[in-house]
Amino acid sequence: MKCNVLIVDDSPVLRNAIHKVTRLAGVPDDRIFTAGNGKEALAVLDATWIDLVLLDINMPVMDGEEFTREVRKNPTLADLKIVVVSTEANDERLKRLRDLGVVETLRKPFQPEDLCHLISKLLGVSPSCAS
């Protein structure tokens, strides 16, 4: 698979878990990038083409909503697929993110198979997920 995925989460444990699920979805290790906040994620986007972002909302330095606003200002990134993976329960905030072009939201804690199938669907590949 030639798709690059960026995982943005301030929790190293969750970044690791999402990384493992992303591998199960068929993305090789060398095509999975990570960042601990939105500012770090913007630096990754400056250096590497990314096809899919798996984004937490509540992070220090730059949160997921700020990150999404910054991304959408860049015409080159206008079609970047962003999936929110967060504990966020505020419907108004989630609506703002959808209005900014977030394609899906997945609530933490999530079932690994659900995330795996979602990644596979968005990247258009056959997953290795358990059903």
Side-chain angles (χ1 to χ4, degrees):
M1 173 189 307
K2 300 284 185 187
C3 298
N4 292 332
V5 175
L6 173 58
I7 300 164
V8 187
D9 199 302
D10 59 320
S11 166
V13 171
L14 282 170
R15 278 196 311 269
N16 226 7
I18 294 170
H19 188 280
K20 288 177 183 177
V21 173
T22 304
R23 275 199 334 256
L24 285 175
V27 181
D29 272 332
D30 65 340
R31 296 203 170 267
I32 303 171
F33 300 84
T34 61
N37 61 61
K39 188 173 181 181
E40 290 176 10
L42 290 174
V44 173
L45 289 177
D46 282 342
T48 307
W49 179 260
I50 297 293
D51 299 285
L52 174 64
V53 176
L54 303 173
L55 177 68
D56 188 17
I57 297 175
N58 301 305
M59 299 177 288
V61 183
M62 178 185 280
D63 69 26
E65 189 171 351
E66 293 172 282
F67 167 80
T68 303
R69 287 185 194 288
E70 287 299 311
V71 166
R72 294 305 183 221
K73 290 179 186 176
N74 183 338
T76 307
L77 301 173
D79 294 331
L80 178 62
K81 294 175 186 162
I82 300 174
V83 172
V84 166
V85 182
S86 180
T87 59
E88 182 64 54
N90 183 315
D91 289 335
E92 189 175 308
R93 191 168 193 200
L94 293 171
K95 182 186 180 319
R96 282 195 310 265
L97 284 156
R98 283 190 296 277
D99 290 346
L100 287 169
V102 166
V103 295
E104 294 278 350
T105 58
L106 185 62
R107 188 88 191 264
K108 293 177 188 173
F110 56 84
Q111 293 298 316
E113 297 82 11
D114 294 340
L115 179 58
C116 185
H117 286 293
L118 180 59
I119 293 167
S120 299
K121 177 182 89 170
L122 291 171
L123 295 178
V125 297
S126 297
S128 303
C129 315
S131 294

